[in-house]
Amino acid sequence: MYNQFFYCSNCIHQTSCPFLNEQMRNFYRFEDYPEFENFSAFYDEDYFDSFRAPQQQVNRILAQLNIQRPELSRTLQRYGVNRAQINNYFRTAIAYTIDNASRYSGNINQRTNLLFSSFRRSNAWIFNALRAAGVPNNIVNSTFRDVIEFTLRSIITPPSPDRWSQWEDLGGVLAFGPGVSSWAPNRLDTFATGSDSALYHKWWNGSTWSNWERLGGVLTSAPAAVSWGNNRIDVFGRGTNNAMWHIFWDGSRWSQWEDLGGVLTSAPAAASWAPNRLDTFVRGTDNALYHKWWNGSTWSEWENLGGVLTSAPAAVSWGNNRIDVFVRGQGNRLYHLWWNGSRWSNWEDLGGNLTSAPAVSSRGPNKLEVFARGQNNQLMTMSWNGTRWSNWSNLGGNITSDPAAVSWGPNRTDVFARGTNNAMWHIWRN
């Protein structure tokens, strides 16, 4: 029986594996074999013979993966799979993706699914080894699908130079995450629910930050803010009756609070694609996305847009009659829905592993930047450049809330979040 091929869970090449055939009879631990004292060195020397992918590129993507998606490795380690094995399995998936990405067309999800199916057929030994180690089949599948998707995004859109500022502490005591809007270049209006549940306002006038201004109300969520014209701001929040409440600045004074109804199970989101036009979004009691809009004279009824949300939504408009909405869905993945002027799209799965609701901003037509808290409480971002989505990038920090984001010009993005001291923190990109 020992004349047939055997290979252990560490094996890459049956033709060169020191554990094959007769040696498998007495194999208990690979440490027993002096010719295999350094498994990583063996892998680095022999593994890349089977792939065209440059080793440096594979190792770079692996390093990014372990920083940005550490939970993928940790999940397998919980079943007793050692870190060296996991890295080598991931290298195989990364190299396979680089080598075969050009064979498949479609959007990012379609290409990921096709690559994953092909990889699973071609590398069944990895899946068999992990199942033999006790890793459930669904975890094996989801892990390698995520590795392939991460790799695909990395090679489609290489990382751009870092132009982000350092984090800035703007003070305050926030009960939830902040909200932000901008009605002019170099103008920022931020909002937060304070420890007394009232709405607070802090603004940047182009040279200095104001003190916090108390606007009253009794909110049970983070606020959402949007501007549809010069010196105009609309702010929304969930009230004590779980309805959506609204207050606005008309250029000279703040309005009274207005009850817009609904039964919210999340903070609201707001966008505007034209003067005196408002589109608001919330999660309902059935975890679906709901939409309510102001057409310049009246508010609509609530519209059910479906989906299964596990967070508050985020919304932005980058052009006339265009709205993009993002949510965290099942599996903590980012999902995207958009209005193109005549109909709503289907939900698009953008992957990731979010530990907060997303935030979104737009620097210009057909440009989107999405932000969310990652596994280590750091701020993560990904962007749409008009043709494709980037990979997730890590902006650091230690945030304890959903982020909020806004852009006031083609080369400027400002992001806000609550920090570990419950103050509002700010980071920006020029």
Side-chain angles (χ1 to χ4, degrees):
M1 65 176 288
Y2 292 103
N3 291 327
Q4 58 182 307
F5 272 132
F6 291 84
Y7 56 90
C8 65
S9 60
N10 292 302
C11 189
I12 303 299
H13 290 304
Q14 295 179 357
T15 57
S16 57
C17 179
F19 302 148
L20 288 177
N21 302 327
E22 290 81 11
Q23 296 188 56
M24 285 299 291
R25 299 182 189 180
N26 300 314
F27 170 67
Y28 295 101
R29 298 183 309 133
F30 67 76
E31 291 91 341
D32 294 336
Y33 291 87
E35 63 269 38
F36 204 50
E37 290 177 352
N38 189 337
F39 174 70
S40 295
F42 169 80
Y43 189 97
D44 289 342
E45 291 171 5
D46 291 346
Y47 152 71
F48 285 99
D49 292 343
S50 297
F51 296 102
R52 300 185 305 275
Q55 180 175 353
Q56 184 177 11
Q57 183 183 21
V58 173
N59 288 337
R60 176 182 61 79
I61 294 174
L62 176 64
Q64 292 174 342
L65 179 73
N66 285 333
I67 291 172
Q68 297 178 29
R69 298 295 306 277
E71 77 282 357
L72 297 178
S73 179
R74 290 174 188 158
T75 298
L76 299 183
Q77 289 180 65
R78 284 200 291 268
Y79 293 91
V81 186
N82 70 59
R83 184 65 179 269
Q85 284 177 288
I86 294 168
N87 281 341
N88 292 330
Y89 294 156
F90 286 178
R91 280 193 186 97
T92 303
I94 291 167
Y96 185 91
T97 303
I98 294 171
D99 281 358
N100 294 280
S102 62
R103 295 175 52 197
Y104 302 102
S105 59
N107 61 35
I108 193 75
N109 283 322
Q110 292 168 333
R111 296 178 70 189
T112 298
N113 290 335
L114 291 169
L115 278 162
F116 171 73
S117 297
S118 177
F119 174 76
R120 185 170 53 185
R121 289 192 301 269
S122 302
N123 295 272
W125 62 273
I126 294 179
F127 293 78
N128 293 336
L130 289 172
R131 283 194 292 267
V135 186
N137 192 54
N138 65 315
I139 291 179
V140 177
N141 289 340
S142 64
T143 297
F144 281 92
R145 189 194 181 282
D146 285 351
V147 172
I148 289 170
E149 180 182 344
F150 185 96
T151 305
L152 195 56
R153 293 186 187 279
S154 295
I155 62 179
I156 288 174
T157 308
S160 59
D162 185 13
R163 293 175 290 169
W164 286 92
S165 71
Q166 299 297 310
W167 285 92
E168 172 188 24
D169 185 345
L170 295 177
V173 181
L174 280 63
F176 307 102
V180 62
S181 66
S182 176
W183 51 261
N186 208 11
R187 170 75 192 202
L188 293 166
D189 288 88
T190 66
F191 300 88
T193 303
S195 56
D196 59 353
S197 299
L199 180 67
Y200 285 80
H201 175 213
K202 187 183 186 77
W203 62 94
W204 170 260
N205 64 9
S207 59
T208 57
W209 281 102
S210 72
N211 293 321
W212 286 99
E213 172 192 22
R214 190 179 190 275
L215 298 179
V218 183
L219 300 183
T220 60
S221 77
V226 68
S227 175
W228 52 255
N230 184 63
N231 213 359
R232 170 74 189 212
I233 314 167
D234 289 80
V235 185
F236 302 85
R238 184 179 62 184
T240 54
N241 60 352
N242 292 327
M244 185 169 71
W245 287 73
H246 174 218
I247 190 173
F248 57 91
W249 170 260
D250 65 4
S252 60
R253 64 180 181 85
W254 285 100
S255 71
Q256 298 297 310
W257 285 95
E258 172 188 23
D259 184 345
L260 296 178
V263 182
L264 284 61
T265 61
S266 75
S272 176
W273 51 261
N276 208 11
R277 169 76 192 203
L278 293 166
D279 289 86
T280 64
F281 302 87
V282 302
R283 183 180 64 181
T285 55
D286 57 355
N287 293 327
L289 179 68
Y290 283 81
H291 175 214
K292 187 182 187 77
W293 63 94
W294 170 260
N295 64 9
S297 58
T298 57
W299 282 101
S300 72
E301 298 298 324
W302 288 100
E303 174 190 21
N304 187 334
L305 297 179
V308 181
L309 283 62
T310 62
S311 78
V316 72
S317 175
W318 52 256
N320 184 62
N321 214 358
R322 171 74 190 210
I323 314 168
D324 289 80
V325 184
F326 297 84
V327 303
R328 185 183 64 184
Q330 293 178 318
N332 294 328
R333 299 170 71 86
L334 179 69
Y335 285 82
H336 176 212
L337 183 76
W338 64 92
W339 171 260
N340 66 5
S342 59
R343 64 181 181 85
W344 286 100
S345 70
N346 293 321
W347 287 98
E348 176 187 21
D349 181 352
L350 295 178
N353 193 350
L354 285 60
T355 62
S356 76
V360 61
S361 64
S362 175
R363 292 185 172 207
N366 209 10
K367 300 291 178 65
L368 294 166
E369 290 180 294
V370 180
F371 303 88
R373 185 177 61 186
Q375 291 296 296
N376 296 317
N377 294 330
Q378 295 172 323
L379 181 66
M380 309 295 293
T381 183
M382 69 184 300
S383 60
W384 170 260
N385 66 5
T387 57
R388 56 196 177 200
W389 284 101
S390 73
N391 198 6
W392 287 97
S393 298
N394 189 335
L395 299 182
N398 191 354
I399 63 176
T400 62
S401 76
D402 304 336
V406 71
S407 175
W408 51 255
N411 295 308
R412 176 73 185 212
T413 306
D414 290 79
V415 185
F416 301 83
R418 184 181 63 183
T420 55
N421 60 352
N422 292 328
M424 184 170 72
W425 287 74
H426 174 216
I427 189 172
W428 65 93
R429 182 180 182 182
N430 290 313

